[in-house]
Amino acid sequence: MTKDSEPAVSVMVVDDHPIWRDGVARDLAEHGFDVRATAPDGEAAVRIARAVRPDVVLMDLNLGETSGVDATREITGILPATKVLVLSASGEHSDVLEAVKAGASGYLVKSASAHELVDAVRRTAAGDPVFTAGLAGLVLGEYRRMADTPADGSPPPPRLTERETDVLRLVAKGLTARQIAEKLVLSHRTVENHVQSTLRKLQLHNRVELARYAIEHGLDGE
């Protein structure tokens, strides 16, 4: 349990290098995370995640026969409450976009410091999209490009309240829930309630998808 008597964030570490995998698991455990399992490949990751249901899966991409992208897609499909944070040696734009399209909530390169990793896992568990510097702009840029060709015949979007729209606009700008709370002079809990209500109305799963929705509907400007 944490000092606030809340359950520790549960994590699973997936990487095909045992020394790296065990080192990351040990570091996270030392920082108070509940490391429920580790996995050496994508196939095992899916099987074990289904059993232990972690809050966050820390996912490498290069895993052999079942890639990290495939494993991410399967895990987020069967466990919508579980968030996937990619931790990869690759910073290639194509890898980042594939991972996000597969359902990853964030993407961190392995050159990140231990402090950055711990912070990223905590923020991912809280529902924030987390990216290594420079990669968030890439993802939002791709969403803008995709927004240029909207699907025909789509139903009208659900009606959001004015406050939900305000929160959605700030989510698209990359602000955290606490930053949004300060900007709108609301409590952190109220912001989270608005975010969850908007997710339900729009039938979306996370803040990355919310940001995409906001961009597609022109809500990411001033």
Side-chain angles (χ1 to χ4, degrees):
M1 303 289 278
T2 66
K3 62 183 180 181
D4 295 323
S5 298
E6 295 179 356
V9 172
S10 58
V11 183
M12 183 173 80
V13 181
V14 184
D15 198 290
D16 62 343
H17 290 90
I19 294 177
W20 176 271
R21 182 175 69 242
D22 293 345
V24 170
R26 182 173 57 251
D27 287 346
L28 291 175
E30 289 175 354
H31 281 86
F33 293 95
D34 172 16
V35 181
R36 291 192 175 173
T38 64
D41 55 59
E43 184 178 348
V46 174
R47 184 179 68 254
I48 296 171
R50 191 193 297 268
V52 304
R53 296 176 176 268
D55 297 319
V56 178
V57 174
L58 205 55
M59 179 75 71
D60 189 20
L61 291 185
N62 187 14
L63 296 174
E65 189 170 334
T66 301
S67 71
V69 168
D70 291 336
T72 295
R73 185 176 295 108
E74 290 195 51
I75 289 171
T76 55
I78 61 178
L79 300 172
T82 294
K83 300 174 178 66
V84 175
L85 173 63
V86 171
L87 181 61
S88 174
S90 170
E92 291 294 325
H93 291 182
S94 59
D95 290 336
V96 179
L97 294 176
E98 277 191 42
V100 173
K101 289 174 183 176
S105 297
Y107 195 109
L108 210 62
V109 295
K110 286 185 174 180
S111 57
S113 68
H115 172 76
E116 289 172 327
L117 175 60
V118 167
D119 181 64
V121 174
R122 286 192 177 126
R123 289 182 58 199
T124 298
D128 292 333
V130 181
F131 294 91
T132 291
L135 297 183
L138 165 71
V139 174
L140 295 183
E142 174 69 3
Y143 283 164
R144 287 189 178 92
R145 185 191 68 76
M146 294 170 65
D148 291 337
T149 55
D152 293 331
S154 56
R159 185 178 297 276
L160 301 179
T161 67
E162 182 177 351
R163 185 57 83 190
E164 286 170 344
T165 302
D166 290 339
V167 171
L168 177 57
R169 183 176 288 111
L170 295 175
V171 168
K173 290 178 179 293
L175 274 66
T176 66
R178 293 194 182 280
Q179 290 170 329
I180 293 172
E182 291 176 4
K183 194 172 185 67
L184 297 181
V185 195
L186 299 170
S187 70
H188 179 268
R189 182 182 296 275
T190 298
V191 170
E192 287 292 352
N193 287 341
H194 283 311
V195 169
Q196 293 305 316
S197 173
T198 304
L199 285 170
R200 286 193 298 271
K201 284 184 178 181
L202 301 179
Q203 297 183 351
L204 301 176
H205 299 100
N206 54 52
R207 282 173 170 79
V208 175
E209 293 181 2
L210 274 182
R212 176 181 175 181
Y213 178 92
I215 291 165
E216 290 175 342
H217 291 80
L219 298 176
D220 60 319
E222 293 295 332

